[in-house]
Amino acid sequence: MWSQPPTSWSDFPTWAASGNDATATPLSPEDLSYTHSRSMTILKALQRCKLLTASKYRGKKYKEEAHMKLVLHIVGADQREGRNVQETMAAFAQLITAFGNAGNHDHGYDELVLVLIGPNIETRLHSTSQTESISSSGKSIRVVYASEVWSDHVAGSLYESPTAIFCFNAGVWGYDEWIPAFQHMMREEIHTPIIITSYNELEAIDDADCLEDIETPFVWRWKHEPNAFLCLKRRATQHTLADRVLNENSSWQCICATPLA
């Protein structure tokens, strides 16, 4: 299940059923994508970046240990990623299920770590974490909350080197803070891909134009393109321009300080 993710939403129900996923009850395509867009975007990005299998590379600040962790930073997280552990587990339920269903070819990771980072994380959650076992898999899921910007988090004692960084619907074009943040990320973690999603193609183009202003040397792992696992349900609040329909994770692009080996 983990090593062979589907290619589109039309393939998703059959694939999800192979993992005996309790959430794979009949849903409309819109509701299905609203629930699982983040999980599937992450899974397909990991596949494309060749990170579905654990690597010996452990990152700049990764402690040497036998326990292998898949650490995902969700930067710019807010209530959409959950206001408590239960909601966060639900938001990433399909990713967690797939992680625990490696099949005959184990991916080599022991623990999935979701680190939700951003000033919109409720302050009561800051520096809290919770670990749960994934049923019948021998693996675990840990959720960590950091109500702060990434540059503050990286300097703290709870920092764990990320395998990948995800910025969902970041709006790079609208916030000056993103470019310095990306520069900092790529200086600290030269092998870590940064995946950025946008609400539509035009916003993705605007984001890409801003990314070209990054002063730190970087490569495009892929330039902006449609994301097969966008959310099909339109955002409740829409843009005033008809050609800027807002769908979560509609387009995606990926940058990194180093090319894919």
Side-chain angles (χ1 to χ4, degrees):
M1 185 182 192
W2 175 262
S3 62
Q4 295 180 318
T7 58
S8 67
W9 285 123
S10 61
D11 302 328
F12 176 85
T14 300
W15 173 83
S18 70
N20 298 315
D21 179 21
T23 66
T25 52
L27 294 172
S28 69
E30 290 78 11
D31 288 339
L32 192 77
S33 64
Y34 182 81
T35 302
H36 299 305
S37 177
R38 280 164 172 72
S39 286
M40 298 311 300
T41 296
I42 289 173
L43 191 54
K44 293 300 287 186
L46 294 177
Q47 181 185 43
R48 192 160 177 175
C49 293
K50 298 182 179 179
L51 294 171
L52 287 178
T53 302
S55 169
K56 292 182 179 180
Y57 172 73
R58 296 173 182 267
K60 184 176 179 180
K61 299 187 179 182
Y62 200 110
K63 297 178 181 178
E64 285 294 332
E65 55 185 337
H67 187 74
M68 291 297 293
K69 295 179 285 189
L70 175 60
V71 181
L72 306 178
H73 285 191
I74 313 299
V75 181
D78 57 21
Q79 293 184 3
R80 184 71 173 87
E81 283 80 28
R83 296 166 295 181
N84 53 52
V85 172
Q86 183 179 11
E87 289 185 0
T88 298
M89 294 282 194
F92 296 96
Q94 191 59 63
L95 180 69
I96 297 167
T97 297
F99 185 82
N101 282 271
N104 295 327
H105 304 286
D106 187 76
H107 45 61
Y109 295 111
D110 301 298
E111 183 179 33
L112 172 61
V113 184
L114 299 175
V115 187
L116 277 60
I117 305 167
N120 290 324
I121 296 291
E122 295 184 28
T123 54
R124 64 181 175 82
L125 295 173
H126 181 62
S127 295
T128 63
S129 66
Q130 183 169 321
T131 302
E132 295 186 8
S133 60
I134 301 175
S135 179
S136 303
S137 69
K139 302 183 185 298
S140 61
I141 165 69
R142 177 158 50 97
V143 177
V144 181
Y145 297 97
S147 181
E148 58 193 352
V149 296
W150 193 89
S151 59
D152 289 338
H153 182 66
V154 70
S157 60
L158 297 179
Y159 182 79
E160 294 182 74
S161 185
T163 310
I165 298 172
F166 290 86
C167 308
F168 292 116
N169 311 301
V172 177
W173 61 272
Y175 298 91
D176 294 338
E177 298 86 351
W178 277 117
I179 297 305
F182 293 143
Q183 292 176 167
H184 195 172
M185 291 171 186
M186 289 189 286
R187 287 195 301 267
E188 289 288 335
E189 302 289 354
I190 64 171
H191 296 288
T192 300
I194 304 168
I195 297 90
I196 303 155
T197 73
S198 308
Y199 284 110
N200 53 54
E201 181 184 12
L202 294 178
E203 287 198 6
I205 293 171
D206 290 342
D207 286 350
D209 288 343
C210 293
L211 293 172
E212 293 287 3
D213 293 334
I214 291 176
E215 296 177 358
T216 303
F218 76 96
V219 297
W220 294 94
R221 290 287 183 89
W222 64 86
K223 292 197 173 185
H224 66 85
E225 63 184 34
N227 174 19
F229 287 98
L230 79 162
C231 177
L232 301 175
K233 179 182 288 187
R234 291 186 178 184
R235 188 181 176 188
T237 54
Q238 284 291 315
H239 202 284
T240 55
L241 299 178
D243 61 351
R244 291 212 173 204
V245 173
L246 304 181
N247 292 78
E248 291 183 354
N249 309 320
S250 177
S251 295
W252 66 345
Q253 50 200 311
C254 180
I255 60 174
C256 189
T258 55
L260 184 63

